Amino acid sequence: MRDLDLSSLNPVLSSSAAPASAREAVQALRASQIREVANAGFGIADVLPFWFGESDRVTPAFIREAAAQALTRGDTFYTHNLGIAPLRDALSRYVGELHGATPADHIAVTSAGVNALMLAAQLVTGAGERVVAVTPLWPNLVEIPKILGASVETVALDYGARGWALDLDRLLAALRPGTKLLMINSPNNPTGWVMSRDEQRAVLEHCRRHGIWIVADEVYERLYYGAAGERTAPSFLDLASRDERLICVNSFSKAWLMTGWRLGWMVAPRALMDDLGKLVEYNTSCAPSFVQQAGVVALEQGEASTQALVADLRASRDHLAAALAQLPGVDVKVPQGAMYLFFRLAGAQHSLELCKALVREAGLGLAPGSAFGPEGEGFVRWCYACDPERLDAGVARLTRYLA
Amino acid sequence: MRDLDLSSLNPVLSSSAAPASAREAVQALRASQIREVANAGFGIADVLPFWFGESDRVTPAFIREAAAQALTRGDTFYTHNLGIAPLRDALSRYVGELHGATPADHIAVTSAGVNALMLAAQLVTGAGERVVAVTPLWPNLVEIPKILGASVETVALDYGARGWALDLDRLLAALRPGTKLLMINSPNNPTGWVMSRDEQRAVLEHCRRHGIWIVADEVYERLYYGAAGERTAPSFLDLASRDERLICVNSFSKAWLMTGWRLGWMVAPRALMDDLGKLVEYNTSCAPSFVQQAGVVALEQGEASTQALVADLRASRDHLAAALAQLPGVDVKVPQGAMYLFFRLAGAQHSLELCKALVREAGLGLAPGSAFGPEGEGFVRWCYACDPERLDAGVARLTRYLA
């Protein structure tokens, strides 16, 4: 058989001779440019990393202890697909306090915020459908629908004197009839842009008119630097009923410093929950039981910790922005949300190459703006979720590099 | 606007008036009949549940302590998409010892075995493609490709004097050129059927010839009751190279009693791993860091515990089979793998209704055979992963019900 040229006989048989590879749609998914930059620094011991979307602080001890206690109790069994009742109830109280009544049967616990985004996409969109996303944006929202065979059109924020801003008319024009889904992330990673209440209202009304689903990634809602007493950024949940075409995704990662726990949730119409339960079963079946128990404690005892974190992040943001503003070639605006400065840097027209050079030559780890879409080119992202001394050390490295 | 009949004006606008619902492909996914049976017992305090695929034993203490120690150390950050290096290395040694050399760069850590199945399906199949699955089968393997828009054709095992058996010719005929993927689970849930080495060889050679991917769910490989000294059921890994079209999926759930931890892995061609890393990023990003640390300890210190578990399961299997064989209307065969007896029961022509009656009237929780495909109708599944006293109590209830 080996001597036959099978490809000339049968095109199906010839496929067996080709090396194994993933399907083309998966090969075409974007790889992380942040990882590419990190790889460029491989072997360099002294790197200050500000490239990932993660604080350098460990999860608060009372949350870690709650998980350890659940393990000691023997809480190691499967849970309900949609999450344990105490966690869904605690989320119902938490979300309800921030955004109005949200019964527990509208809430599903997920294996991370990104898992909630994947589940939301699976719920409402599939092959051949049209999805719109607002960019610059962390790649996941743009790539997830493509895994399901949908096509994604992006609408770029504009960068101007006041930072990143939404051209509402352009977004509404892109949300033409027949669009299945809008994916939108506010407060936004990477820009820190926060969608206003009026913008949310206009988008919601437009999507209602045309039957377009909204999947709102509101993972950074608590990392919001508004007026005193404002605990959260504007949320679609403030405006919408709980039974319309809106899925709001959230996570324990940012506000409770639980990145490595992979625990998230979503709020969705009650009519979807049975179907969502099936999808959870077929994706991860449930989040780990003792992780869910820790989530209950995070919600019930974590408010002071979250508020202290946000105060620290605000101070870090202002500290870093003030320092960067002194540097030549830096154009930095101070956004109202998330935990990043996404700033224009002279010489960053090829931000991927610049960031590789920064890690190799200056030991400074930043994320290239192009990682978040072509409209991010010319910018770099700096995660400021660390103490001011560490930020100062990073600024000193950037200063030396630019000099 | 409210008084207008929008549907008569514009069919797109009319969609906004329809209630929110999941897309049709998701609505069409099977809901769990086991859950339907469990719901039928809602409010009945005294139910002996044998319906889930889960032992009643807590995870061994040394594994729970490893996770608690990682939490105490502050191991709460994101990990590499494909898993922490110590776990991939430990899996490389573990798999290598059982099935031959398997370098760590062929191994990915996943957020449960079912998550590995979803990732494997995303890697190789999509809308409009043809998938074949061997049934009766836990629903997940059949439903996962449908979420991605693929169509699934099932090939039923035959039930005869020696229990469930594969008609190899029928399977090979179904694996016609153009088929993208075979999904096969051995040892099998629910039947306990174990695919023989010769059957695996024939299927592998056929799939090689036609470029068909094999996704092998080998989660029960250690729950195998072969000859003394045989530590594992036959695996496709014993026959295949590490770079051909084979993805083997496994899990910590069964052999280490870690169901509630949601930790799994897969072995796949090196050429797929970069694309797999992207898919992990877009599905869950990583498994929890301290859960992965516990996985390392499970592999390095868990062999005696696993072997003791398998010995207990073998005794439970034999104990239950002997008791059931005494009952009128029961036709039970003793399979070589997994942790279920899947037996024919007179009166189970409508197994879903029978199982609902059993829980309501006898306080006995069994899984209906129809939950695993139409060829399972007339059967019920009993998970025997518990101590003999509990099994005896269940058999007594079935005896009273049948009398």
Side-chain angles (χ1 to χ4, degrees), chain A residues 157-389:
Chain A
L157 298 172
D158 297 318
Y159 187 74
R162 298 180 56 196
W164 292 92
L166 176 66
D167 183 332
L168 186 61
D169 290 339
R170 199 143 43 81
L171 176 58
L172 297 186
L175 292 170
R176 60 176 188 261
T179 301
K180 192 58 185 266
L181 167 62
L182 167 65
M183 296 192 93
I184 196 157
N185 166 228
S186 166
N188 172 263
N189 172 7
T191 63
W193 167 70
V194 177
M195 195 177 191
S196 74
R197 180 86 70 212
D198 286 346
E199 288 167 338
Q200 288 182 335
R201 186 176 288 111
V203 167
L204 181 62
E205 286 175 359
H206 178 92
C207 288
R208 277 177 183 157
R209 258 196 313 277
H210 297 290
I212 300 170
W213 280 92
I214 298 172
V215 171
D217 173 359
E218 301 189 339
V219 158
Y220 294 96
E221 66 166 359
R222 299 300 306 275
L223 276 48
Y224 177 61
Y225 317 105
E230 284 189 302
R231 287 170 62 197
T232 174
S235 165
F236 279 98
L237 291 173
D238 302 327
L239 302 172
S241 86
R242 291 293 171 271
D243 284 309
E244 57 185 302
R245 287 181 184 75
L246 170 67
I247 299 176
C248 276
V249 166
N250 218 311
S251 163
F252 286 81
S253 289
K254 313 299 178 183
W256 293 272
L257 298 166
M258 291 174 70
T259 46
W261 296 64
R262 319 313 302 130
L263 186 64
W265 76 86
M266 70 167 80
V267 178
R270 175 66 194 85
L272 266 68
M273 298 310 275
D274 287 347
D275 287 320
L276 176 56
K278 293 187 287 184
L279 288 176
V280 171
E281 170 66 27
Y282 300 140
N283 278 268
T284 66
S285 295
C286 61
S289 46
F290 46 87
V291 167
Q292 294 188 57
Q293 295 287 359
V296 175
V297 172
L299 290 168
E300 291 181 347
Q301 302 174 31
E303 186 58 27
S305 159
T306 294
Q307 293 193 19
L309 172 69
V310 174
D312 289 349
L313 285 171
R314 183 196 285 258
S316 287
R317 177 196 65 161
D318 294 341
H319 185 88
L320 178 62
L324 289 174
Q326 304 301 314
L327 298 187
V330 168
D331 169 22
V332 61
K333 307 286 192 299
V334 181
Q336 275 203 298
M339 56 190 196
Y340 312 100
L341 291 182
F342 193 68
F343 56 98
R344 189 179 264 157
L345 184 57
Q349 297 89 339
H350 302 286
S351 58
L352 178 59
E353 293 311 312
L354 175 74
C355 287
K356 287 181 181 176
L358 277 171
V359 66
R360 276 194 308 255
E361 297 168 27
L364 178 64
L366 301 182
S370 58
F372 308 97
E375 50 282 329
E377 191 53 289
F379 292 75
V380 295
R381 188 190 75 174
W382 186 315
C383 175
Y384 55 74
C386 58
D387 60 49
E389 292 70 33

Side-chain angles (χ1 to χ4, degrees), chain A residues 90-175:
Chain A
L91 284 165
S92 172
R93 290 189 295 274
Y94 174 81
V95 175
E97 196 186 312
L98 291 178
H99 303 299
T102 305
D105 61 1
H106 285 265
I107 292 173
V109 175
T110 63
S111 304
V114 66
N115 180 242
L117 292 168
M118 172 57 85
L119 291 164
Q122 289 181 7
L123 267 172
V124 301
T125 196
E129 293 185 324
R130 184 170 181 277
V131 175
V132 170
V134 176
T135 53
L137 186 58
W138 67 305
N140 299 40
L141 274 82
V142 177
E143 302 302 295
I144 283 170
K146 297 178 187 171
I147 296 170
L148 306 172
S151 66
V152 181
E153 181 177 321
T154 62
V155 174
L157 298 172
D158 297 318
Y159 187 74
R162 298 180 56 196
W164 292 92
L166 176 66
D167 183 332
L168 186 61
D169 290 339
R170 199 143 43 81
L171 176 58
L172 297 186
L175 292 170

Side-chain angles (χ1 to χ4, degrees), chain B residues 163-245:
Chain B
W164 293 91
L166 176 66
D167 183 333
L168 186 60
D169 291 338
R170 199 144 43 82
L171 175 58
L172 298 186
L175 292 170
R176 58 176 189 259
T179 301
K180 192 59 186 263
L181 166 64
L182 166 66
M183 296 191 93
I184 196 155
N185 166 227
S186 166
N188 173 264
N189 171 8
T191 63
W193 167 70
V194 177
M195 194 176 192
S196 74
R197 180 88 68 211
D198 286 345
E199 289 167 337
Q200 289 183 334
R201 186 176 289 114
V203 167
L204 181 63
E205 286 174 0
H206 178 92
C207 288
R208 277 177 182 157
R209 257 196 313 277
H210 297 290
I212 299 170
W213 279 91
I214 299 171
V215 171
D217 174 359
E218 301 188 341
V219 157
Y220 294 96
E221 68 166 357
R222 298 300 306 275
L223 276 50
Y224 177 61
Y225 317 105
E230 284 189 301
R231 288 169 63 197
T232 173
S235 165
F236 279 99
L237 291 173
D238 302 328
L239 302 172
S241 86
R242 291 294 171 269
D243 285 307
E244 58 185 303
R245 288 181 181 75

